[in-house]
């Protein structure tokens, strides 16, 4: 059966020393409990090696927030999936709405990134989600389906099964405006249905679908209680060890 997962997305926050301190705090707090979910932190590229040195990888997974859409070569400033994997990280966030919005990521570039992640043994945490206008004009379900179909449905069932999905309504990211637990459940159930149509019910049932968008200790319990919400991708609240752990322990 699918896993419950809480993953932090630190975005472009913390210096290396600050990030190492935060990772140590999360690691220590995790050592004291037996969480009912997998816990992952996705950190800036510069932080991967030093953070990897201070965490217990048996209890805390490590991921990057992006990787390049080329394997190697003359792409100044880019960081490849192989480089990410060589730090000890095993996850990579792909297709975050901020990457789509500010850096022009498309389903075509994301296909390349997913392939390179797989080649290097990284598990993609693949983000999808509609903007406010699409929610309001009733196209949210079509938009989310298209994001999945265009970037992922060329994959074999075996490869698709390695993906973690994160539904993140863009209007809820960093805005303090959470989707209600019913809105999240409705979309997650829809996504699972889309997967079932293509790959069958077993693959759909085994896919972890995380919710992201202003998830906090105060609303995580209600969200995670929904049958199709398998955890969260956490932005702002992942920058404070206590808040992050408050979400982890919501399971
Ligand atoms: C995110 O960026 O993945 C996210 C969910 O951010 P926040 O929790 O801050 O809304």
């Amino acid at each position: 059966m699918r896993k419950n997962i809480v993953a932090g997305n630190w975005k472009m926050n913390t210096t290396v020393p600050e990030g190492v301190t935060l990772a140590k705090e999360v690691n220590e707090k995790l050592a004291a409990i037996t969480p009912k979910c997998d816990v992952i932190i996705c950190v800036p590229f510069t932080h991967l090696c030093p953070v990897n040195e201070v965490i217990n990888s048996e209890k805390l997974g490590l991921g990057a927030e992006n990787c390049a859409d080329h394997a190697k070569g003359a792409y100044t400033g880019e960081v490849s999936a192989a480089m990410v994997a060589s730090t000890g990280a095993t996850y990579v966030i792909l297709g975050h709405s901020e990457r789509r919005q500010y850096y022009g990521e498309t389903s075509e570039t994301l296909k390349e990134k997913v392939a390179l992640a797989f080649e290097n043994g990284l598990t993609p945490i693949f983000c999808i989600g509609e903007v406010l206008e699409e929610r309001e004009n009733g196209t949210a379900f079509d938009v989310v389906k298209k994001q999945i179909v265009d970037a992922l449905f060329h994959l074999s069932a075996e490869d698709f099964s390695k993906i973690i999905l994160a539904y993140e309504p863009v209007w809820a990211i960093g805005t303090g405006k959470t989707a209600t637990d019913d809105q999240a459940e409705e979309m997650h159930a829809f996504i699972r249905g889309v997967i079932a149509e293509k790959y069958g019910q077993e693959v759909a049932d085994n896919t972890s679908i995380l919710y992201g968008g202003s998830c906090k200790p105060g609303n995580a319990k209600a969200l995670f209680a929904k049958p199709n919400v398998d955890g969260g991708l956490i932005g702002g609240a992942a920058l404070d060890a206590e808040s992050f752990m408050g979400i982890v322990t919501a399971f």
Side-chain angles (χ1 to χ4, degrees), residues 117-216:
F118 284 151
E119 273 173 37
N120 290 282
L122 298 172
T123 298
I125 301 174
F126 192 89
C127 303
I128 50 189
E130 80 284 0
V131 298
L132 184 59
E133 193 190 343
E134 293 159 344
R135 169 69 43 178
E136 287 177 347
N137 69 19
T139 58
F141 292 86
D142 294 340
V143 166
V144 167
K145 180 173 182 177
K146 187 166 165 43
Q147 288 171 337
I148 298 171
V149 170
D150 290 356
L152 300 177
F153 273 10
H154 62 290
L155 295 173
S156 66
E158 193 188 340
D159 277 347
F160 185 87
S161 302
K162 297 179 201 154
I163 300 242
I164 298 166
L165 285 177
Y167 167 60
E168 301 205 301
V170 180
W171 46 271
I173 296 180
T175 57
K177 220 179 184 184
T178 323
T180 64
D181 34 300
D182 285 336
Q183 279 174 321
E185 171 61 17
E186 187 184 24
M187 183 60 87
H188 284 224
F190 170 77
I191 292 168
R192 207 174 300 286
V194 168
I195 299 168
E197 261 174 40
K198 168 77 178 170
Y199 293 108
Q201 197 60 47
E202 195 181 336
V203 171
D205 285 342
N206 286 333
T207 302
S208 295
I209 309 174
L210 315 185
Y211 168 78
S214 298
C215 187
K216 307 249 175 323

Side-chain angles (χ1 to χ4, degrees), residues 6-11 13-14 19 22-23 25-26 40-43 215-217 232-245 247:
V6 171
N9 171 18
W10 289 6
K11 311 194 187 194
N13 291 298
T14 73
L22 175 57
E25 280 171 19
V26 172
I40 302 164
I41 47 175
C42 297
V43 307
C215 187
K216 307 249 175 323
L233 181 57
I234 316 300
L239 293 171
D240 177 80
E242 200 155 317
S243 296
F244 186 60
M245 291 307 295
I247 297 172

Side-chain angles (χ1 to χ4, degrees), residues 79-94:
V79 175
S80 71
M83 292 172 185
V84 169
S86 72
T87 67
T90 54
Y91 296 90
V92 60
I93 296 175
L94 293 177

Side-chain angles (χ1 to χ4, degrees), residues 68-75 78-83 112 116 119-120:
D69 57 345
H70 296 278
K72 65 189 285 192
Y75 301 100
E78 289 292 289
V79 175
S80 71
M83 292 172 185
E112 300 302 323
L116 288 160
E119 273 173 37
N120 290 282

